[in-house]
């Protein structure tokens, strides 16, 4: 493992690089030539946690326990933590660990004074699917770039979606949930709405069809639950407990782990929303929040250029807002180079080299580290569970020497808490009543539906009036062209010469008698 015949000197030089004077997180003890040296501690300066980091390693090498170890110490130092719990085994951070022989042995090897401890925690879920306080976002705040990523749209379709968002914003059509977005898309390709975007390129029926089909598929994955109100205030993640410890916010994701693109993009929304809301603070004595992005490779798979640019910019600039971001994945190559270059703290667990692709990934990983006194290719394939190669930024911002490290054991429960305990913790939270029940207020869907209903009613009324006018005109025309009817018997009698002769004699006595006999009046008696 060593490239030196003097094991003491390199070990001392490495350890000297971690002898910080300020507050720091204790990661473990230095490994040199296969020997654990408990008097040479490997640490991360607390102020440097906003310089971001990477925790990488093959499955089963201890990445989750490393997250737990760092999260515990951040909480103890008054720093809030956000953890994405993909597999459902991080909830144990809220409960004290169970002492056993393995923990006692590890503590003795690394010089750790181990005591069981639980840490103040809140549990969240995406839109209420699974256990946790529901975290929801509106479609508007999610934005077209993230929405395009999760809908798997190409660049042209992404641009069209941006146009749709712009139109909705300009017209005061609130995009709160997915039915709002669907309503606006359908309206803009309808006969009534086509003209709305004509001046700025319009929206093709084909592109609208792609977006609507993607929305349908998205909804079938249960995404309708994630979008709506009340929208979650990401500032809740910045809270501390009454005793001053940082709150550990655990986003429970087992219920949606078969939808990786969805939850990874949603986590990116959380980060972007924090970036938007927080003021510039520069470097702090301790971060405002440290955000752990588990299964990070899922975030970058199939990402568009615009989405990658958005991630890169957010990671680059959020440091000055006091936020640290740790990406957790299997190999550094899972993270784009522009993002990887900004990750100052590295914890690399063991890698496997069973296949040519594994060997290639191993060589690529070695190249991402500073010059080292170790043979890193040999070291990285030989690390045991709970061991890692570490390099961090010193208090002056310079990289520390590469250090093989046997990590400390977490103080909290290394596994999930029971379902009943988790449910009780969720429902006893003060945030539960604030976010548990969804709200569906008037937004784009209702406004467009009302306008369309009014337009349809007006069109029906106009059609009825036109039909009535048409029928009236046809009736008048028919009356003018109809043949005159034959005179009735009464008309024939009245018009006859005899009747006219009788009429002239009506005034005479003889006429009166004749009149009575004709009209049936009784003859007066004398």
């Amino acid at each position: 493992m060593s490239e030196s015949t003097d094991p003491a000197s390199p070990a001392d030089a490495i350890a000297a690089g971690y002898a910080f004077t300020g507050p720091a997180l204790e990661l473990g003890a230095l490994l040199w030539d296969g020997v654990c040296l408990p008097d040479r501690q490997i640490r991360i300066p607390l102020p440097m946690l906003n310089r971001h980091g990477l925790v990488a390693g093959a499955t089963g090498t201890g990445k989750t326990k490393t997250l737990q170890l760092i999260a515990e110490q951040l909480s103890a130092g008054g720093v809030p933590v956000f953890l994405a719990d993909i597999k459902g085994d991080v909830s144990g951070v809220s409960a004290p660990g169970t002492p056993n022989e393995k923990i006692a042995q590890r503590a003795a090897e690394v010089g750790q004074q181990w005591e069981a401890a639980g840490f103040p925690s809140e549990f969240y879920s995406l839109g209420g699917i699974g256990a946790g306080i529901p975290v929801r976002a509106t479609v508007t705040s999610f934005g077209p770039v993230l929405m395009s990523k999760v809908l798997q749209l190409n660049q042209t379709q992404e641009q069209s979606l941006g146009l749709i968002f712009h139109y909705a914003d300009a017209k005061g059509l609130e995009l709160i949930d997915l039915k709002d977005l669907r309503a606006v898309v359908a309206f803009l390709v309808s006969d009534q709405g086509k003209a709305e975007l004509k001046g700025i390129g319009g929206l093709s029926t084909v592109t609208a069809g792609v977006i609507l089909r993607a929305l349908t598929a998205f909804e079938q994955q249960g995404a309708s639950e994630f979008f709506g109100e009340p929208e979650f205030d990401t500032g809740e993640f910045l809270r501390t407990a009454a005793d001053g410890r940082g709150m550990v916010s655990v986003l429970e994701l087992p219920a949606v782990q078969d939808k990786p693109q969805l939850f990874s993009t949603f986590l990116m929304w959380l980060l972007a929303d924090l970036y938007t809301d927080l003021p510039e603070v520069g470097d702090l004595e301790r971060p405002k929040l440290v955000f752990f992005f588990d299964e990070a490779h899922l975030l970058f798979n199939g990402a568009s250029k615009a989405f990658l640019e958005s991630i890169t910019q957010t990671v680059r600039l959020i440091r000055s807002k006091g936020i640290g971001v740790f990406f957790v994945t299997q190999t550094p190559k899972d993270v784009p180079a522009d993002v990887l270059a900004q990750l100052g703290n590295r914890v690399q667990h063991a890698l496997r080299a069973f296949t040519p692709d594994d060997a290639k990934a191993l060589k690529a990983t070695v190249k991402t580290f500073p010059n080292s006194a170790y043979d890193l290719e040999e070291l990285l394939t030989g690390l045991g569970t709970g061991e890692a190669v570490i390099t961090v930024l010193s208090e002056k911002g310079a990289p520390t020497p590469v250090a093989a490290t046997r990590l400390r054991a977490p103080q909290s429960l290394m596994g999930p808490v029971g379902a009943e305990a988790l449910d009780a913790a969720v429902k006893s939270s003060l945030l539960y009543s604030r976010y548990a029940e969804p709200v569906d207020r008037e937004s784009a869907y209702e406004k467009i539906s009302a306008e369309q209903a009014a337009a349809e009613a007006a069109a029906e009324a106009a059609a009825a009036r036109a039909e009535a006018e048409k029928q009236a005109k046809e009736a008048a025309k028919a009356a003018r062209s109809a043949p005159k009817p034959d005179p009735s018997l009464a008309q024939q009698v009245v018009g006859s010469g005899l009747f006219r002769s009788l009429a002239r004699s009506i005034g005479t006595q003889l006429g009166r008698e004749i009149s009575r006999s004709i009209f049936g009046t009784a003859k007066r008696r004398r």
Side-chain angles (χ1 to χ4, degrees), residues 111-125:
Q112 178 184 8
Q113 298 296 319
W114 189 90
E115 292 183 4
F119 296 82
S121 303
E122 294 273 22
F123 299 96
Y124 300 93
S125 64

PDB file of all heavy atoms in Angstrom, residues 111-125:
ATOM      1  N   GLY A 111     -10.453   5.338  18.489  1.00  0.00           N
ATOM      2  CA  GLY A 111     -10.319   6.311  19.573  1.00  0.00           C
ATOM      3  C   GLY A 111     -11.578   7.116  19.820  1.00  0.00           C
ATOM      4  O   GLY A 111     -11.503   8.298  20.177  1.00  0.00           O
ATOM      5  N   GLN A 112     -12.726   6.493  19.686  1.00  0.00           N
ATOM      6  CA  GLN A 112     -14.017   7.171  19.834  1.00  0.00           C
ATOM      7  C   GLN A 112     -14.628   6.875  21.194  1.00  0.00           C
ATOM      8  O   GLN A 112     -14.673   5.726  21.642  1.00  0.00           O
ATOM      9  CB  GLN A 112     -14.977   6.703  18.730  1.00  0.00           C
ATOM     10  CG  GLN A 112     -16.385   7.297  18.805  1.00  0.00           C
ATOM     11  CD  GLN A 112     -17.309   6.710  17.739  1.00  0.00           C
ATOM     12  OE1 GLN A 112     -16.937   5.764  17.046  1.00  0.00           O
ATOM     13  NE2 GLN A 112     -18.485   7.275  17.600  1.00  0.00           N
ATOM     14  N   GLN A 113     -15.102   7.917  21.872  1.00  0.00           N
ATOM     15  CA  GLN A 113     -15.871   7.742  23.101  1.00  0.00           C
ATOM     16  C   GLN A 113     -17.341   7.626  22.694  1.00  0.00           C
ATOM     17  O   GLN A 113     -18.066   8.605  22.618  1.00  0.00           O
ATOM     18  CB  GLN A 113     -15.656   8.936  24.044  1.00  0.00           C
ATOM     19  CG  GLN A 113     -14.221   9.115  24.508  1.00  0.00           C
ATOM     20  CD  GLN A 113     -13.740   7.937  25.348  1.00  0.00           C
ATOM     21  OE1 GLN A 113     -14.463   7.415  26.183  1.00  0.00           O
ATOM     22  NE2 GLN A 113     -12.492   7.522  25.124  1.00  0.00           N
ATOM     23  N   TRP A 114     -17.781   6.395  22.444  1.00  0.00           N
ATOM     24  CA  TRP A 114     -19.125   6.202  21.870  1.00  0.00           C
ATOM     25  C   TRP A 114     -20.202   6.222  22.946  1.00  0.00           C
ATOM     26  O   TRP A 114     -20.085   5.547  23.978  1.00  0.00           O
ATOM     27  CB  TRP A 114     -19.182   4.868  21.123  1.00  0.00           C
ATOM     28  CG  TRP A 114     -20.457   4.682  20.321  1.00  0.00           C
ATOM     29  CD1 TRP A 114     -20.656   5.047  19.038  1.00  0.00           C
ATOM     30  CD2 TRP A 114     -21.668   4.075  20.766  1.00  0.00           C
ATOM     31  NE1 TRP A 114     -21.928   4.724  18.629  1.00  0.00           N
ATOM     32  CE2 TRP A 114     -22.574   4.122  19.681  1.00  0.00           C
ATOM     33  CE3 TRP A 114     -22.086   3.503  21.981  1.00  0.00           C
ATOM     34  CZ2 TRP A 114     -23.877   3.616  19.766  1.00  0.00           C
ATOM     35  CZ3 TRP A 114     -23.388   3.009  22.066  1.00  0.00           C
ATOM     36  CH2 TRP A 114     -24.263   3.067  20.976  1.00  0.00           C
ATOM     37  N   GLU A 115     -21.243   6.993  22.722  1.00  0.00           N
ATOM     38  CA  GLU A 115     -22.429   7.018  23.583  1.00  0.00           C
ATOM     39  C   GLU A 115     -23.655   7.020  22.686  1.00  0.00           C
ATOM     40  O   GLU A 115     -23.719   7.778  21.709  1.00  0.00           O
ATOM     41  CB  GLU A 115     -22.446   8.260  24.477  1.00  0.00           C
ATOM     42  CG  GLU A 115     -21.367   8.296  25.539  1.00  0.00           C
ATOM     43  CD  GLU A 115     -21.494   9.525  26.422  1.00  0.00           C
ATOM     44  OE1 GLU A 115     -22.464  10.290  26.229  1.00  0.00           O
ATOM     45  OE2 GLU A 115     -20.612   9.718  27.275  1.00  0.00           O
ATOM     46  N   ALA A 116     -24.638   6.200  23.008  1.00  0.00           N
ATOM     47  CA  ALA A 116     -25.870   6.151  22.217  1.00  0.00           C
ATOM     48  C   ALA A 116     -26.600   7.491  22.316  1.00  0.00           C
ATOM     49  O   ALA A 116     -26.717   8.071  23.397  1.00  0.00           O
ATOM     50  CB  ALA A 116     -26.772   5.028  22.716  1.00  0.00           C
ATOM     51  N   ALA A 117     -27.072   7.993  21.187  1.00  0.00           N
ATOM     52  CA  ALA A 117     -27.792   9.275  21.180  1.00  0.00           C
ATOM     53  C   ALA A 117     -28.695   9.364  19.950  1.00  0.00           C
ATOM     54  O   ALA A 117     -28.324   8.928  18.859  1.00  0.00           O
ATOM     55  CB  ALA A 117     -26.801  10.442  21.189  1.00  0.00           C
ATOM     56  N   GLY A 118     -29.890   9.905  20.156  1.00  0.00           N
ATOM     57  CA  GLY A 118     -30.777  10.235  19.044  1.00  0.00           C
ATOM     58  C   GLY A 118     -30.733  11.730  18.808  1.00  0.00           C
ATOM     59  O   GLY A 118     -30.305  12.507  19.681  1.00  0.00           O
ATOM     60  N   PHE A 119     -31.158  12.162  17.633  1.00  0.00           N
ATOM     61  CA  PHE A 119     -31.060  13.573  17.275  1.00  0.00           C
ATOM     62  C   PHE A 119     -32.420  14.098  16.817  1.00  0.00           C
ATOM     63  O   PHE A 119     -33.219  13.342  16.245  1.00  0.00           O
ATOM     64  CB  PHE A 119     -29.983  13.753  16.196  1.00  0.00           C
ATOM     65  CG  PHE A 119     -28.616  13.399  16.683  1.00  0.00           C
ATOM     66  CD1 PHE A 119     -28.191  12.071  16.707  1.00  0.00           C
ATOM     67  CD2 PHE A 119     -27.771  14.372  17.174  1.00  0.00           C
ATOM     68  CE1 PHE A 119     -26.942  11.725  17.199  1.00  0.00           C
ATOM     69  CE2 PHE A 119     -26.520  14.039  17.670  1.00  0.00           C
ATOM     70  CZ  PHE A 119     -26.104  12.719  17.677  1.00  0.00           C
ATOM     71  N   PRO A 120     -32.693  15.394  17.085  1.00  0.00           N
ATOM     72  CA  PRO A 120     -34.019  15.941  16.752  1.00  0.00           C
ATOM     73  C   PRO A 120     -34.283  15.830  15.253  1.00  0.00           C
ATOM     74  O   PRO A 120     -33.470  16.282  14.438  1.00  0.00           O
ATOM     75  CB  PRO A 120     -33.922  17.403  17.199  1.00  0.00           C
ATOM     76  CG  PRO A 120     -32.454  17.709  17.233  1.00  0.00           C
ATOM     77  CD  PRO A 120     -31.782  16.425  17.608  1.00  0.00           C
ATOM     78  N   SER A 121     -35.415  15.237  14.903  1.00  0.00           N
ATOM     79  CA  SER A 121     -35.677  14.932  13.491  1.00  0.00           C
ATOM     80  C   SER A 121     -37.114  15.249  13.111  1.00  0.00           C
ATOM     81  O   SER A 121     -38.034  15.168  13.940  1.00  0.00           O
ATOM     82  CB  SER A 121     -35.400  13.448  13.202  1.00  0.00           C
ATOM     83  OG  SER A 121     -34.075  13.096  13.544  1.00  0.00           O
ATOM     84  N   GLU A 122     -37.300  15.619  11.864  1.00  0.00           N
ATOM     85  CA  GLU A 122     -38.618  15.747  11.244  1.00  0.00           C
ATOM     86  C   GLU A 122     -38.625  14.841  10.026  1.00  0.00           C
ATOM     87  O   GLU A 122     -37.611  14.708   9.325  1.00  0.00           O
ATOM     88  CB  GLU A 122     -38.895  17.187  10.807  1.00  0.00           C
ATOM     89  CG  GLU A 122     -39.026  18.194  11.933  1.00  0.00           C
ATOM     90  CD  GLU A 122     -40.441  18.289  12.486  1.00  0.00           C
ATOM     91  OE1 GLU A 122     -41.217  17.325  12.306  1.00  0.00           O
ATOM     92  OE2 GLU A 122     -40.763  19.325  13.093  1.00  0.00           O
ATOM     93  N   PHE A 123     -39.784  14.243   9.746  1.00  0.00           N
ATOM     94  CA  PHE A 123     -39.898  13.317   8.619  1.00  0.00           C
ATOM     95  C   PHE A 123     -40.891  13.862   7.594  1.00  0.00           C
ATOM     96  O   PHE A 123     -41.989  14.293   7.945  1.00  0.00           O
ATOM     97  CB  PHE A 123     -40.326  11.934   9.110  1.00  0.00           C
ATOM     98  CG  PHE A 123     -39.352  11.324  10.069  1.00  0.00           C
ATOM     99  CD1 PHE A 123     -39.528  11.433  11.440  1.00  0.00           C
ATOM    100  CD2 PHE A 123     -38.213  10.671   9.599  1.00  0.00           C
ATOM    101  CE1 PHE A 123     -38.617  10.890  12.337  1.00  0.00           C
ATOM    102  CE2 PHE A 123     -37.286  10.125  10.484  1.00  0.00           C
ATOM    103  CZ  PHE A 123     -37.490  10.238  11.848  1.00  0.00           C
ATOM    104  N   TYR A 124     -40.470  13.823   6.347  1.00  0.00           N
ATOM    105  CA  TYR A 124     -41.281  14.387   5.260  1.00  0.00           C
ATOM    106  C   TYR A 124     -41.521  13.343   4.178  1.00  0.00           C
ATOM    107  O   TYR A 124     -40.813  12.332   4.094  1.00  0.00           O
ATOM    108  CB  TYR A 124     -40.562  15.597   4.653  1.00  0.00           C
ATOM    109  CG  TYR A 124     -40.290  16.712   5.632  1.00  0.00           C
ATOM    110  CD1 TYR A 124     -39.078  16.778   6.315  1.00  0.00           C
ATOM    111  CD2 TYR A 124     -41.242  17.684   5.885  1.00  0.00           C
ATOM    112  CE1 TYR A 124     -38.824  17.794   7.232  1.00  0.00           C
ATOM    113  CE2 TYR A 124     -40.999  18.708   6.803  1.00  0.00           C
ATOM    114  CZ  TYR A 124     -39.787  18.757   7.465  1.00  0.00           C
ATOM    115  OH  TYR A 124     -39.551  19.763   8.368  1.00  0.00           O
ATOM    116  N   SER A 125     -42.518  13.606   3.356  1.00  0.00           N
ATOM    117  CA  SER A 125     -42.797  12.741   2.199  1.00  0.00           C
ATOM    118  C   SER A 125     -43.151  13.625   1.011  1.00  0.00           C
ATOM    119  O   SER A 125     -43.587  14.763   1.182  1.00  0.00           O
ATOM    120  CB  SER A 125     -43.957  11.788   2.493  1.00  0.00           C
ATOM    121  OG  SER A 125     -45.161  12.520   2.709  1.00  0.00           O
TER     122      SER A 125
END
